Amino acid sequence: MPISSDEIRGHTDTIILARLMEGDSYGYEIGKAVRQLSDGLYELKEATLYTAFRRLEADWLIESYWGDSEGGARRRYYRITEKGRQAYFAGFASWRETKLIIDKLLYSGRNTDRLRRRYGVPSARLWRRSLNER
């Protein structure tokens, strides 16, 4: 089931910065990587991607330059700046904290153990241990 963009909203910049932490890239390649890494469950729409590029560049988190492709056409490449690296690590920490809070809210309650067994979710002890291993 595809991931709703509402569930990821607010983390688009961090997702793009994560891809650029791997090296310089261009828009289509970043969009393709996001699709592949999410097993096709999430896709950054072109308008979202290029709006984010403009915002990230205006905030000095990335910079762009023109490069050539194998076919001879020019492409706009993006690279992360030092300020962008710092923003990536802050965004990553924010995502982990948000995920931990959501996990706590979803995995607690009176009927949680019964629901865990019914839907094959690990016990609270195993779940907590898996969180600590991350």
Side-chain angles (χ1 to χ4, degrees):
M1 183 165 136
I3 298 170
S4 163
S5 61
D6 288 340
E7 295 177 58
I8 305 269
R9 193 174 323 251
H11 298 284
T12 302
D13 291 357
T14 306
I15 291 168
I16 293 169
L17 293 172
R19 303 293 16 105
L20 292 174
M21 290 287 285
E22 300 293 321
D24 297 4
S25 191
Y26 56 94
Y28 176 78
E29 189 174 58
I30 291 172
K32 183 178 167 186
V34 168
R35 243 185 338 276
Q36 287 176 338
L37 291 169
S38 69
D39 295 325
L41 296 176
Y42 184 66
E43 182 176 336
L44 279 172
K45 304 259 188 261
E46 190 174 322
T48 301
L49 191 59
Y50 287 97
T51 299
F53 284 148
R54 285 192 296 277
R55 181 177 55 252
L56 291 167
E57 200 163 17
D59 290 341
W60 300 96
L61 302 179
I62 64 172
E63 51 192 23
S64 64
Y65 62 93
W66 290 99
D68 296 325
S69 70
E70 298 87 32
R74 296 192 55 162
R75 288 189 176 133
R76 187 173 210 154
Y77 283 82
Y78 298 91
R79 77 169 60 99
I80 193 166
T81 64
E82 185 54 40
K83 185 177 177 186
R85 285 188 215 336
Q86 293 169 7
Y88 163 73
F89 288 117
F92 182 82
S94 171
W95 171 257
R96 283 187 56 108
E97 188 66 26
T98 300
K99 183 183 178 317
L100 283 171
I101 292 167
I102 296 290
D103 284 347
K104 286 178 182 179
L105 293 170
L106 296 180
Y107 283 100
S108 63
R110 262 192 301 192
N111 295 315
T112 305
D113 287 333
R114 183 178 57 80
L115 292 170
R116 281 191 189 109
R117 284 191 301 277
R118 181 175 180 186
Y119 294 106
V121 177
S123 70
R125 183 177 48 76
L126 291 175
W127 174 75
R128 277 193 296 277
R129 187 179 338 143
S130 74
L131 287 177
N132 290 333
E133 291 170 357
R134 294 180 192 172

